[in-house]
Amino acid sequence: MQGLSTAFGQFRPPKLQMMFHTRVFSLFGLLSFGLFAMPAQAQWRLDNGVNIAHSVFLHPESGPYVEVSLNIHGKALRFEESEAGQYRASAMVTILLRDEEEVVDFVKYRLESPPSEDTLNIDFALSDNKRLLLPKSNLILEVSIEDLFREGSTMEYEQPISTGFADLPAFSDLQFIDHYQPAGQPGPFSKSGMDMVPYAARFYPEERNVLVFYSELYGSTQLGEGEQFLLTWSIREKGSEKINPNFWQYQKASAADVVPALREFDLSDLPSGNYELVAELRNRQNDVLHSRRAFFQRLNSKAVYLPENIAMIDISDTWAERYSKEQLTAFMDFIHPVAEPTELNLISSFRGILDSTVQQRFLYNFWLKRHPDDAYKAWLDYLELVKKANDRYSTTSAMGYRTDRGRVLLKYGEPNDVIARVNEPGAFPYEMWMYYTLADGQNNIRFIFYEPTLVTNNYQLIHSNAIGELQDWRWKMRVYGKTANPSLFNNFDAFSPQNSYGGNAGQLEDDAGNSIFNQGRP
């Protein structure tokens, strides 16, 4: 997806003077419940319900400063009843900058939740943002959060800070954004005419499919007055310099004291893994003059449909690494019955690729999508079904998993009941498979197979009432083709042969539930 904006008009720096001589300042913001995922068992624990992040920027007048962003999920705090009968939570926040010898700056304040009447359904988070000047280039940032209504419940955060602006041009830190809107009155979330609430987490779950970020480039005038250059942003697998064109953007810009950028990436097709967001400044010769990186994690168990995106999947130290090229080629064939059309297209594209890593990554993501809790167990269970299909249904010309019965077994699992008729008078060998309920909720599903050659084990599927499967409501005409009246084959109103000696298929169908299976037909 293209960037949200490539220009904000005239750059407007945040009003720092208001923020720095106010030492006690309380602010809370309400964010959506989906701000970050938190398991139920983690309620009332600050260490599982708080996200803290910091970003370093350069004010054109005041110099370098750090923005400290925090989000506290309401469920991570204890609520106490007030005199008015409502419930409120309260936390003491201390933000401190120090070097090895002394405290350089600090702010301490009380952060309170809005009143709530129901503490069992807390669906909000507290969000805050503080800015502190950085008088030295190398400092240590410490943040402490204490639940004032639960003794001993605290959370600590400590990170070294380096400004990195000794040589210009240079980027600010890349700041992840939760949501944004045009700024009204300047406030703690205001920069460049926008109110941007930071996303303090570095984790993007499935339900968060857009990554929004903000950055500033300083001192590009050093390149020459009016000089044009290129800004690029990309998402790369951590530890790799390979650029995927699906996660790459660029912007042409002209030299200025500050060049702001608010942009976004669509993560819908980004596989699960560890990544870096990379910003680069390039000159007319496409040389990289400066870059900045920010780490994040992605969880995405949905299908990934493009080969270049599959190539970004990290399979280090996973079960998928153990398989050889020969095994993987066979596995790609095994999973045909349960693959989606887009996945089948991907599998076809793997032919001729010598590097087995692509298939390993695809196989890993294939089962992670379907069974995120235990993809490896799901894969082993499926391999067991393949073995059963081969043992039961293999012929002289095809492995069992390639036959009709093998495909149905792999796609729908073991049937609840199988009725096999090998030597019924007047009939070709046939089988009726019955499923009480399929995974998609279909009930009372039947599959009819028959073997018209009488000499192989290759039973053909001739009818099913499952959605998307072959349907032939005259299937009994084929099963009793040896003895049926030939004139009935051209009578399309005839659904079964008449007077077939010893014919049981109709009775079996009635016993299985004629009104459902045969849809009222004879």
Side-chain angles (χ1 to χ4, degrees):
M1 184 175 292
Q2 293 301 310
L4 296 170
S5 175
T6 58
F8 297 89
Q10 185 178 4
F11 170 72
R12 283 178 280 171
K15 293 190 176 181
L16 296 176
Q17 66 274 14
M18 294 177 56
M19 302 299 296
F20 290 111
H21 55 249
T22 302
R23 278 292 172 262
V24 179
F25 180 79
S26 180
L27 169 75
F28 63 81
L30 303 185
L31 300 183
S32 67
F33 182 78
L35 178 67
F36 48 82
M38 188 171 101
Q41 66 269 24
Q43 293 181 359
W44 315 118
R45 289 183 55 189
L46 272 177
D47 56 348
N48 284 296
V50 176
N51 283 317
I52 300 175
H54 73 273
S55 302
V56 177
F57 296 91
L58 180 63
H59 192 279
E61 299 172 358
S62 305
Y65 67 95
V66 61
E67 280 195 6
V68 182
S69 309
L70 59 92
N71 303 124
I72 308 175
H73 200 291
K75 290 187 176 182
L77 297 169
R78 180 184 291 279
F79 282 71
E80 286 199 352
E81 187 175 6
S82 66
E83 294 181 358
Q86 294 179 316
Y87 293 86
R88 191 183 296 271
S90 184
M92 184 63 69
V93 180
T94 303
I95 303 173
L96 181 146
L97 286 171
R98 66 174 177 84
D99 58 18
E100 296 297 333
E101 299 178 355
E102 61 179 355
V103 173
V104 174
D105 200 357
F106 78 96
V107 59
K108 186 173 183 177
Y109 62 98
R110 184 167 176 158
L111 188 63
E112 293 191 341
S113 75
S116 177
E117 295 182 355
D118 182 7
T119 60
L120 296 179
N121 295 289
I122 302 299
D123 60 354
F124 60 81
L126 285 67
S127 179
D128 196 13
N129 200 53
K130 286 288 185 289
R131 298 179 177 127
L132 285 79
L133 285 172
L134 296 171
K136 299 182 179 181
S137 60
N138 294 295
L139 293 170
I140 296 174
L141 170 67
E142 294 182 0
V143 181
S144 174
I145 301 175
E146 178 187 1
D147 187 342
L148 294 178
F149 295 152
R150 185 179 180 87
E151 185 177 356
S153 181
T154 61
M155 192 269 186
E156 305 287 341
Y157 173 92
E158 181 177 313
Q159 287 291 328
I161 293 180
S162 179
T163 58
F165 302 133
D167 297 316
L168 297 180
F171 284 106
S172 70
D173 282 335
L174 305 180
Q175 186 176 53
F176 296 91
I177 302 299
D178 180 78
H179 61 276
Y180 62 93
Q181 62 184 15
Q185 294 296 322
F189 297 108
S190 301
K191 285 194 297 288
S192 298
M194 303 289 287
D195 279 339
M196 294 176 280
V197 177
Y199 181 57
R202 291 294 178 265
F203 174 70
Y204 284 80
E206 288 181 335
E207 59 271 17
R208 184 175 283 269
N209 282 320
V210 178
L211 184 154
V212 182
F213 65 95
Y214 174 78
S215 70
E216 295 175 355
L217 175 68
Y218 309 115
S220 56
T221 52
Q222 300 286 338
L223 302 177
E225 197 67 33
E227 179 70 13
Q228 288 195 323
F229 50 86
L230 195 68
L231 298 176
T232 66
W233 298 273
S234 60
I235 292 177
R236 306 178 190 178
E237 183 183 355
K238 183 171 174 57
S240 172
E241 294 303 314
K242 186 176 180 180
I243 295 177
N244 183 337
N246 299 314
F247 300 100
W248 183 83
Q249 300 177 12
Y250 74 93
Q251 170 193 336
K252 292 181 180 179
S254 298
D257 290 333
V258 182
V259 180
L262 175 64
R263 304 189 71 89
E264 69 175 33
F265 277 102
D266 185 347
L267 302 182
S268 300
D269 211 25
L270 183 70
S272 299
N274 296 325
Y275 296 96
E276 288 182 315
L277 175 65
V278 182
E280 293 179 332
L281 167 64
R282 295 174 177 266
N283 61 15
R284 291 177 181 269
Q285 291 74 41
N286 204 32
D287 299 320
V288 177
L289 304 180
H290 183 70
S291 66
R292 180 75 73 173
R293 297 171 179 255
F295 171 81
F296 71 95
Q297 293 180 306
R298 172 66 169 158
L299 174 63
N300 185 10
S301 63
K302 298 180 175 64
V304 177
Y305 302 112
L306 300 173
E308 56 267 37
N309 296 356
I310 289 289
M312 299 180 73
I313 297 172
D314 183 9
I315 57 169
S316 302
D317 301 320
T318 68
W319 53 269
E321 280 190 306
R322 69 186 61 173
Y323 297 120
S324 66
K325 178 67 177 178
E326 292 73 19
Q327 288 175 305
L328 290 163
T329 299
F331 294 165
M332 295 299 106
D333 205 35
F334 289 174
I335 62 180
H336 264 68
V338 292
E340 299 173 0
T342 50
E343 292 170 329
L344 292 175
N345 289 337
L346 261 179
I347 291 172
S348 297
S349 73
F350 296 155
R351 293 169 186 163
I353 297 178
L354 299 179
D355 184 6
S356 62
T357 307
V358 176
Q359 291 170 308
Q360 290 172 339
R361 289 171 170 170
F362 174 83
L363 185 69
Y364 179 75
N365 189 73
F366 185 92
W367 291 105
L368 183 67
K369 167 194 171 182
R370 289 160 172 79
H371 301 276
D373 293 337
D374 197 340
Y376 185 46
K377 181 180 183 302
W379 168 231
L380 293 180
D381 290 344
Y382 187 80
L383 282 180
E384 186 63 28
L385 275 182
V386 172
K387 183 178 183 302
K388 289 180 180 179
N390 289 339
D391 290 343
R392 299 172 185 174
Y393 313 127
S394 289
T395 70
T396 56
S397 60
M399 296 292 291
Y401 75 92
R402 285 178 169 267
T403 66
D404 284 354
R405 287 183 296 177
R407 181 189 67 81
V408 172
L409 176 69
L410 294 177
K411 186 171 183 178
Y412 301 104
E414 292 277 8
N416 296 108
D417 198 4
V418 174
I419 298 174
R421 293 290 185 264
V422 180
N423 297 309
E424 183 177 309
F428 292 113
Y430 69 93
E431 292 183 1
M432 178 186 293
W433 290 17
M434 290 168 280
Y435 291 85
Y436 302 153
T437 304
L438 298 183
D440 62 1
Q442 296 183 69
N443 296 319
N444 297 315
I445 299 301
R446 308 289 183 263
F447 291 86
I448 309 297
F449 306 88
Y450 90 133
E451 208 292 275
T453 69
L454 301 177
V455 294
T456 74
N457 189 39
N458 192 8
Y459 280 64
Q460 301 172 25
L461 176 65
I462 56 175
H463 175 68
S464 174
N465 63 336
I467 297 173
E469 293 289 350
L470 175 68
Q471 292 188 350
D472 180 2
W473 299 104
R474 304 178 74 225
W475 63 269
K476 282 177 285 207
M477 300 291 294
R478 300 173 69 177
V479 168
Y480 295 103
K482 294 193 297 182
T483 57
N485 187 334
S487 64
L488 294 178
F489 283 97
N490 295 322
N491 180 3
F492 293 103
D493 291 327
F495 286 89
S496 62
Q498 297 176 352
N499 302 321
S500 59
Y501 176 76
N504 292 323
Q507 184 61 48
L508 290 176
E509 185 179 60
D510 289 338
D511 292 343
N514 182 63
S515 61
I516 295 175
F517 178 55
N518 212 29
Q519 296 190 349
R521 295 179 173 86

